[in-house]
């Protein structure tokens, strides 16, 4: 019995070979040794298949970050680790598998906004939970943790947003990131 996971695994392999524009459901079915109708039973359209691939990719980013956000470590350490991990995941994907990175970016462009918004909102909620924990522990002095989560996320965009991927080869990127995080954390620390 063909599973959704098998189809998504095969789809990623086809994407790696042909890119998103030339990837078809027929190519995926051929790789799996089944008819394209079998794939269509799981995904009604090529767009639905592409959306599922993009969603799985986004979850591969979100899940490791959720573990950090849910940890009981010091909020300052968790906040720094969360952003560092986000940066490392994105940069590792870009360096280790540039073809797939580009394919995912192409797919993301055609993915419905609600899928992308769900991903960003999930990330922002994780940051907000760390900030709330820091407030509760007296480490942070933040009036609006939701707004601050957005501020921190977008302030660090150079280190994790795909539009900046070409900058990630800068030999000073890690140093610059550490300086920015130190500044941002100092800005929200409790003065008590």
């Amino acid at each position: 019995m063909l599973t959704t996971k098998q189809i998504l695994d095969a789809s990623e392999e086809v994407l790696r070979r042909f890119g998103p524009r030339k990837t078809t459901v027929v190519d995926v079915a051929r790789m799996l040794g089944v008819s394209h109708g079998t794939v269509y039973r799981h995904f009604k359209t090529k767009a639905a298949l592409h959306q599922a691939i993009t969603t799985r990719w986004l979850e591969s980013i979100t899940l490791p970050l959720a573990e950090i956000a849910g940890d009981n470590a010091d909020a300052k350490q968790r906040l720094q680790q969360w952003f560092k991990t986000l940066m490392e995941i994105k940069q590792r994907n870009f360096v280790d598998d540039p073809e797939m990175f580009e394919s995912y970016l192409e797919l993301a462009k055609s993915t419905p906004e609600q899928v992308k918004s769900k991903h960003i909102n999930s990330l922002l909620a994780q940051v907000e939970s760390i900030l709330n924990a820091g407030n509760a522990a007296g480490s942070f002095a933040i009036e609006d943790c939701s707004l601050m989560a957005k501020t921190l996320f977008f302030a660090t965009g150079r280190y994790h947003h795909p539009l900046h991927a070409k900058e990630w080869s800068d030999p000073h990127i890690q140093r610059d990131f550490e300086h920015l995080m130190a500044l941002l954390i100092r800005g929200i620390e409790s003065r008590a």
Side-chain angles (χ1 to χ4, degrees):
M1 179 97 186
L2 187 64
T3 66
T4 299
K5 181 185 181 316
Q6 290 170 317
I7 294 171
L8 293 176
D9 290 344
S11 297
E12 286 183 1
E13 192 57 41
V14 172
L15 278 171
R16 189 173 276 110
R17 289 183 189 176
F18 304 116
R21 291 191 184 119
K22 295 182 180 177
T23 296
T24 67
V25 173
V26 172
D27 295 325
V28 174
R30 189 176 299 128
M31 174 165 271
L32 291 166
V34 299
S35 73
H36 64 279
T38 303
V39 176
Y40 278 123
R41 282 190 210 107
H42 290 264
F43 300 99
K44 299 297 180 204
T45 64
K46 178 181 174 181
L49 176 60
H50 285 183
Q51 183 175 327
I53 296 166
T54 303
T55 299
R56 184 163 90 157
W57 180 55
L58 295 174
E59 287 172 354
S60 76
I61 296 165
T62 307
L63 295 176
L65 297 170
E67 289 180 23
I68 295 167
D71 196 337
N72 289 326
D74 174 72
K76 290 179 197 176
Q77 291 173 344
R78 275 193 293 154
L79 188 63
Q80 177 127 10
Q81 186 61 44
W82 192 94
F83 278 103
K84 183 175 186 252
T85 302
L86 175 62
M87 177 184 76
E88 289 171 349
I89 290 169
K90 294 284 186 91
Q91 291 180 11
R92 185 173 51 246
N93 287 343
F94 177 70
V95 170
D96 292 350
D97 202 350
E99 294 84 11
M100 280 306 287
F101 188 83
E102 287 300 320
S103 291
Y104 284 130
L105 291 182
E106 280 298 312
L107 289 178
K109 288 177 188 174
S110 63
T111 299
E113 280 305 312
Q114 70 265 24
V115 173
K116 291 183 273 192
S117 294
K118 181 180 175 187
H119 172 66
I120 296 296
N121 289 339
S122 172
L123 296 177
L124 292 174
Q126 290 176 19
V127 175
E128 185 178 348
S129 73
I130 296 170
L131 298 178
N132 282 323
N135 264 359
S139 302
F140 299 147
I142 303 168
E143 287 184 32
D144 185 338
C145 289
S146 177
L147 179 58
M148 185 55 69
K150 289 178 189 173
T151 301
L152 294 172
F153 186 79
F154 294 115
T156 58
R158 176 180 183 227
Y159 307 98
H160 57 78
H161 194 288
L163 289 177
H164 295 278
K166 302 274 191 249
E167 300 172 37
W168 297 344
S169 60
D170 180 335
H172 304 293
I173 195 97
Q174 182 68 34
R175 180 203 64 198
D176 295 348
F177 168 76
E178 289 170 4
H179 285 193
L180 177 62
M181 283 308 299
L183 175 68
L184 294 172
I185 289 174
R186 271 198 307 272
I188 60 174
E189 282 179 322
S190 172
R191 304 290 182 243

